[in-house]
Amino acid sequence: MWKVEFKTSHLKLKTLERPLILITNDDGYASKGIRELIKMVQPIGNVLVVAPAEGQSGKSHAVSIGSFVRMKKLQDDANLTIYSVTGTPVDCLKMALGNILTRKPDLLISGINHGSNSSVNAFYSGTMGAAREGAFNGIPSIGLSLCDYDADADFSVVIKHSEPMIKKVLSENKNPNLCLNVNFPKVTESEFKGLRICRQAQGVWKESFVENTDPYGGKIYWLTGNFENAEPNAADTDEWALSNNYAPVVPMNLDSTDFAELQNINYLI
């Protein structure tokens, strides 16, 4: 691995010859998921955490345009440095790459997210927005999620089965633009069936805003809805895998061109 170097105005020189792992999330730096992830990867490499100061779920690939952000160093130890940023997960990535680091990390891990990011959730997700941003910048990236919204969720299955995957990506991956979306079901170790390479299921959220009244008599609206899987019986999808106690691993393509449709739209010109 390369020598780990940081901008001296921000970080001290770290241990040599260890992978540099960048971590972020969309639940905020204080969430249990990111704390468990940090503990898991510290023995593997030098860890830089740049994560939102507060929860940023559903922010997708949003960036803070027209408003400033603040950055605060929270910890700076031998192989762990933590910053919080008052912005989105993608803001955190841009801050890390543009204002803290002097070279690309060997791996970006976004998570561990509290809640599913399977199917179309990957497009809404701030967790996956950060993973895509890392892959855009030539950093192999993994989004990790657990289908459990409990603030005190049990991440033991995720930790046990994602650690070997992370080590394999560091040692064997040849694609600098790798972007993996990995979701774990809420199951016990005895119920868990293992990782499963899958494609993203087709589906859609059927939603509406429920009207209510604030304490001052004004109207307010809360978004509610349900996810509808358009192909519930397709056994090669992430939704099927989760329903059958597997953890789907979905490689995400950064080029969203619909190549099958290229010739069909010639009528436009």
Side-chain angles (χ1 to χ4, degrees), residues 55-68:
Q56 298 287 323
S57 295
K59 293 298 179 70
S60 187
H61 217 97
V63 293
S64 296
I65 297 176
S67 61
F68 63 84

Side-chain angles (χ1 to χ4, degrees), residues 64 67-71 85-88 91 95:
S64 296
S67 61
F68 63 84
V69 300
R70 299 182 187 274
M71 179 171 65
V85 174
T86 59
T88 69
D91 287 334
M95 188 70 78

Side-chain angles (χ1 to χ4, degrees), residues 2-269:
W2 296 357
K3 179 179 177 180
V4 180
E5 295 179 347
F6 301 87
K7 293 186 177 179
T8 55
S9 60
H10 291 288
L11 296 175
K12 296 181 293 185
L13 187 66
K14 303 297 181 182
T15 308
L16 304 182
E17 304 303 328
R18 282 164 57 88
L20 174 57
I21 301 173
L22 176 59
I23 288 177
T24 192
N25 72 347
D26 72 358
D27 291 316
Y29 75 91
S31 70
K32 182 177 180 180
I34 200 170
R35 296 198 310 269
E36 293 295 309
L37 175 60
I38 291 167
K39 287 190 293 184
M40 177 180 66
V41 300
Q42 271 190 279
I44 300 174
N46 294 321
V47 181
L48 170 63
V49 180
V50 186
E54 298 178 346
Q56 298 287 323
S57 295
K59 293 298 179 70
S60 187
H61 217 97
V63 293
S64 296
I65 297 176
S67 61
F68 63 84
V69 300
R70 299 182 187 274
M71 179 171 65
K72 182 178 181 180
K73 184 188 287 184
L74 304 174
Q75 184 173 338
D76 193 4
D77 296 330
N79 75 328
L80 173 63
T81 302
I82 302 176
Y83 286 88
S84 67
V85 174
T86 59
T88 69
V90 174
D91 287 334
C92 293
L93 260 292
K94 292 183 180 296
M95 188 70 78
L97 298 179
N99 295 74
I100 300 175
L101 293 168
T102 60
R103 68 99 161 170
K104 290 180 181 179
D106 298 292
L107 181 66
L108 164 71
I109 308 175
S110 186
I112 302 168
N113 184 66
H114 293 249
S116 174
N117 280 321
S118 61
S119 187
V120 295
N121 294 311
F123 293 100
Y124 296 107
S125 165
T127 299
M128 290 311 300
R132 285 192 298 271
E133 180 69 18
F136 286 160
N137 283 276
I139 306 166
S141 300
I142 302 172
L144 275 179
S145 302
L146 171 66
C147 298
D148 188 345
Y149 290 96
D150 191 332
D152 192 33
D154 180 1
F155 290 93
S156 59
V157 173
V158 185
I159 297 300
K160 178 177 179 179
H161 295 277
S162 60
E163 181 181 3
M165 175 187 64
I166 289 168
K167 290 179 178 178
K168 287 180 181 179
V169 170
L170 281 168
S171 63
E172 300 180 27
N173 172 61
K174 306 298 182 184
N175 178 13
N177 303 113
L178 180 73
C179 182
L180 299 179
N181 183 15
V182 185
N183 289 271
F184 279 78
K186 181 182 176 181
V187 293
T188 64
E189 176 63 27
S190 61
E191 296 169 328
F192 184 62
K193 295 181 180 178
L195 302 180
R196 186 179 178 94
I197 307 300
C198 295
R199 66 176 176 87
Q200 178 181 302
Q202 298 298 309
V204 66
W205 278 89
K206 297 293 186 180
E207 298 164 309
S208 63
F209 283 92
V210 176
E211 183 179 306
N212 210 322
T213 304
D214 67 23
Y216 305 99
K219 291 182 178 180
I220 57 175
Y221 299 87
W222 291 99
L223 183 64
T224 64
N226 295 291
F227 174 74
E228 294 186 1
N229 186 354
E231 41 184 351
N233 297 319
D236 61 340
T237 71
D238 52 5
E239 286 291 324
W240 185 95
L242 287 169
S243 297
N244 288 273
N245 293 349
Y246 291 95
V249 180
V250 179
M252 306 293 288
N253 195 338
L254 302 184
D255 184 349
S256 58
T257 303
D258 185 348
F259 289 97
E261 192 65 21
L262 280 176
Q263 300 304 317
N264 295 335
I265 60 171
N266 284 335
Y267 66 89
L268 295 174
I269 55 174

